[in-house]
């Protein structure tokens, strides 16, 4: 049922919780206000923001657009809202989550409370191990966040949220526009990435367009077992029967086009994921028998007991990107004191292990640790002209300032698991 009265839940305590959950280290928006400046008179600022939200006087400022590089050489647009706008978005998202979390399906993992990327990875791996899923559709939606039609999004919101204050705030963010190079541009589609409202709205949109369609219309019509795993706009479908997979691939583009979305013709792939002799550490871009999801390449391998298991290893582009970040930092900070460099590199390596440290990925973790040490030694050797830090001296340095060793943080069992 559609809920027409929700804004009474938003009070000062609600706004204080929204402020607590908002990141304080982000870049400033178009007003230049940082989190510490906003916190100097926090309660008065939150009361004023609450009053403007409920009375309709709140004016959503345009987001400042910047670009971040992608692995394929292109650039991803990123919107940077003002800090106060981030707090307001968080307050509305807290309401939307309370409404839509009971509707979202188990196949959706991205930007949801209590769900993570590693749960999505293990959910998909369990399907391969326990349900004998062998045919994969690796889905890539072309410029998804820039292509969401506002008209369809409003129709989906009408099904559950009719509160005037909530809907007015969402419309203001959709119409706020984008400020780029001093030029303000308004659009009738898309939700700029950067604020917390964008992934929430994108989840609502794909819940109706993809998740419900797959579970209620596609799955009952298939001969074999299947599964869908989605993290925000990254999605993978896996099937037991090859004919089922081809039938779904044939209608998937039409389904998305009905709601203004387009499959990327080059990045959407049909993958034969059967355990053949060509599997292993092959390049997924050339052999067509592996695929990448959330930074990991799915491959077949052997467990310690000699059984065939699905392994997840660091994707080559993520591995290269991680080492490039280390090299760039060491280059520009090579004249900093050794303890400071050691402290920063230790934090970078532990962050890498925290995400990529999973069962079966120990070899790539070891490669990463070795290459980080080589990069550090290279740039320490260039601190002074005419001097060079040879590997023997660097080994002695590592004994005094050891870098963290690779470690497995997420342990995936190698036996067959049942899907939750």
């Amino acid at each position: 049922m559609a809920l027409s009265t929700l804004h009474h839940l938003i009070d000062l305590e609600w706004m204080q919780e929204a402020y607590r959950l908002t990141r304080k280290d982000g870049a400033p928006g178009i007003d230049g206000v940082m989190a510490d400046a906003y916190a100097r008179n926090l309660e008065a600022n939150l009361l004023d923001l609450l009053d403007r939200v409920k009375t309709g006087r709140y004016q959503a400022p345009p987001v400042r657009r910047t670009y971040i590089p992608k692995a394929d050489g292109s650039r991803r647009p990123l919107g940077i809202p003002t800090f106060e706008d981030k707090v307001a978005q968080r307050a509305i998202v807290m309401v939307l989550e309370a409404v839509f979390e009971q509707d979202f399906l188990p196949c959706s993992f991205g930007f949801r409370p209590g769900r993570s990327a590693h749960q999505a990875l293990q959910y998909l791996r369990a399907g391969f191990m326990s349900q004998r899923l062998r045919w994969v559709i690796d889905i890539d939606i072309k410029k998804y966040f820039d292509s969401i039609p506002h008209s369809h999004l409003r129709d989906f919101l009408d099904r559950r949220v009719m509160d005037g204050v909530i809907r007015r705030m969402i419309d203001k963010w959709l119409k706020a526009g984008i400020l780029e190079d001093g030029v303000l541009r308004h659009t009738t589609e898309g939700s700029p990435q950067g604020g917390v409202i964008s992934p929430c709205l994108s989840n609502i949109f794909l819940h109706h367009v993809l998740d419900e369609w797959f579970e209620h219309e596609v799955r009952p019509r298939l001969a074999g077992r299947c599964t869908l795993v989605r993290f925000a706009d990254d999605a993978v479908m896996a099937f037991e029967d090859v004919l089922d997979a081809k039938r779904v691939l044939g209608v998937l583009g039409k389904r998305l086009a009905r709601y203004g979305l387009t499959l990327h013709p080059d990045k959407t792939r049909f993958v034969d994921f059967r355990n053949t002799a060509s599997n292993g550490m092959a390049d997924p871009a050339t052999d067509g028998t592996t695929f990448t999801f959330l930074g990991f390449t799915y491959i077949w391998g052997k467990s310690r007991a000699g059984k065939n298991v699905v392994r997840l290893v660091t994707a080559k582009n993520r591995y290269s990107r991680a080492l490039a970040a280390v090299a760039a930092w060491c280059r520009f900070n090579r004249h900093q004191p050794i303890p400071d460099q050691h402290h920063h590199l230790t934090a970078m390596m532990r962050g890498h292990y925290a995400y990529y440290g999973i069962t079966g990925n120990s070899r790539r973790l070891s490669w990463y640790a070795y290459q980080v040490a080589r990069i550090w030694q290279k740039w320490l050797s260039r601190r002074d002209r005419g001097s060079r830090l040879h590997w023997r001296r660097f080994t002695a340095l590592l004994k005094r300032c050891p870098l963290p060793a690779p470690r497995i943080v997420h342990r995936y069992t190698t036996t067959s698991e049942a899907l939750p």
Side-chain angles (χ1 to χ4, degrees):
M1 82 185 268
L3 304 175
S4 59
T5 306
L6 291 169
H7 69 271
H8 66 279
L9 298 171
I10 306 176
D11 53 15
L12 178 59
E13 184 179 356
W14 191 279
M15 300 301 294
Q16 289 172 337
E17 178 65 11
Y19 169 81
R20 187 187 68 83
L21 295 175
T22 302
R23 285 186 56 182
K24 313 300 189 296
D25 57 349
I30 62 173
D31 61 356
V33 176
M34 300 292 290
D36 54 352
Y38 193 83
R40 289 173 192 154
N41 197 11
L42 180 60
E43 185 170 337
N45 288 333
L46 292 179
L47 283 172
D48 179 62
L49 174 60
L50 177 62
D51 181 67
R52 284 181 285 137
V53 167
K54 290 199 172 185
T55 60
R57 293 185 296 109
Y58 181 81
Q59 298 296 322
V63 297
R64 179 169 63 88
R65 170 159 283 184
T66 186
Y67 292 88
I68 55 177
K70 297 175 64 174
D72 58 2
S74 61
R75 298 191 303 168
R76 182 191 303 275
L78 182 68
I80 304 178
T82 64
F83 181 78
E84 183 178 63
D85 204 45
K86 294 177 183 178
V87 176
Q89 289 187 24
R90 174 61 68 181
I92 300 301
V93 165
M94 290 163 57
V95 177
L96 295 177
E97 286 178 348
V99 175
F100 284 97
E101 272 300 311
Q102 58 188 319
D103 298 338
F104 288 156
L105 299 177
C107 61
S108 171
F109 292 88
F111 303 102
R112 294 180 57 190
R115 291 189 158 235
S116 67
H118 279 279
Q119 289 177 332
L121 293 165
Q122 193 163 11
Y123 185 96
L124 181 59
R125 179 183 179 274
F128 293 124
M129 296 295 296
S130 63
Q131 297 191 14
R132 299 185 60 82
L133 308 179
R134 296 295 182 264
W135 306 92
V136 173
I137 301 176
D138 185 5
I139 302 172
D140 189 282
I141 302 176
K142 187 176 182 180
K143 296 182 179 180
Y144 169 64
F145 285 93
D146 294 332
S147 304
I148 301 175
H150 293 175
S151 58
H152 289 302
L153 177 59
R154 292 187 180 98
D155 290 340
F156 294 146
L157 289 171
D158 285 341
R159 302 182 185 182
R160 296 292 278 130
V161 177
M162 295 292 290
D163 182 275
V165 172
I166 305 296
R167 294 298 301 272
R168 183 170 60 227
M169 289 294 292
I170 294 175
D171 282 341
K172 287 182 178 181
W173 284 315
L174 293 177
K175 297 176 181 178
I178 299 168
L179 187 65
E180 184 176 359
D181 297 329
V183 179
L184 179 61
R185 181 169 57 88
H186 296 276
T187 62
T188 58
E189 60 182 20
S191 179
Q193 292 177 266
V196 294
I197 194 67
S198 182
C200 180
L201 295 179
S202 69
N203 264 345
I204 294 171
F205 192 83
L206 280 183
H207 165 73
H208 293 285
V209 173
L210 189 63
D211 301 354
E212 284 191 334
W213 172 73
F214 184 85
E215 293 295 333
H216 302 320
E217 297 186 33
V218 173
R219 187 189 294 273
R221 291 177 168 84
L222 301 184
R225 291 173 291 189
C226 60
T227 191
L228 165 68
V229 180
R230 182 176 65 81
F231 191 94
D233 61 327
D234 293 327
V236 171
M237 294 179 180
F239 303 86
E240 182 181 17
D241 186 82
V242 61
L243 295 180
D244 288 343
K246 291 182 177 180
R247 286 173 58 198
V248 173
L249 182 60
V251 299
L252 178 60
K254 300 177 183 177
R255 170 67 181 183
L256 296 180
R258 178 181 173 185
Y259 294 96
L261 303 179
T262 306
L263 284 176
H264 197 294
D266 299 324
K267 297 182 180 179
T268 300
R269 303 171 56 236
F270 181 78
V271 181
D272 177 0
F273 195 60
R274 291 176 296 178
N275 184 19
T276 62
S278 64
N279 285 103
M281 301 295 290
D283 185 355
T286 58
D287 75 345
T289 60
T290 62
F291 66 96
T292 299
F293 182 55
L294 298 180
F296 288 90
T297 299
Y298 281 71
I299 65 172
W300 282 97
K302 293 286 186 179
S303 68
R304 292 185 177 181
K307 297 181 179 180
N308 293 324
V309 295
V310 174
R311 294 173 51 206
L312 281 68
V313 299
T314 308
K316 289 186 177 181
N317 61 339
R318 296 295 186 91
Y319 176 76
S320 301
R321 187 194 309 176
L323 292 180
V326 172
W329 190 89
C330 289
R331 177 186 177 186
F332 290 106
N333 295 274
R334 61 185 182 273
H335 295 295
Q336 298 294 325
I338 296 295
D340 292 348
Q341 294 190 44
H342 174 261
H343 176 76
H344 187 88
L345 288 175
T346 297
M348 294 182 74
M349 296 179 73
R350 286 176 177 168
H352 186 87
Y353 300 153
Y355 186 75
Y356 293 102
I358 66 173
T359 303
N361 197 30
S362 57
R363 180 178 297 179
R364 296 249 167 130
L365 293 180
S366 298
W367 292 353
Y368 172 80
Y370 174 75
Q371 290 299 330
V372 169
R374 297 293 299 186
I375 292 170
W376 195 23
Q377 184 263 342
K378 169 187 174 180
W379 289 108
L380 286 179
S381 298
R382 301 187 181 187
R383 283 161 64 97
D384 301 307
R385 288 187 177 182
S387 65
R388 186 168 184 83
L389 181 65
H390 294 286
W391 188 255
R392 184 180 302 174
R393 291 176 55 201
F394 182 69
T395 303
L397 171 64
L398 288 180
K399 291 181 179 179
R400 299 192 304 271
C401 302
L403 294 174
R407 70 188 189 98
I408 301 300
V409 179
H410 309 278
R411 299 193 176 274
Y412 293 180
T413 59
T414 56
T415 57
S416 297
E417 304 99 340
L419 283 170

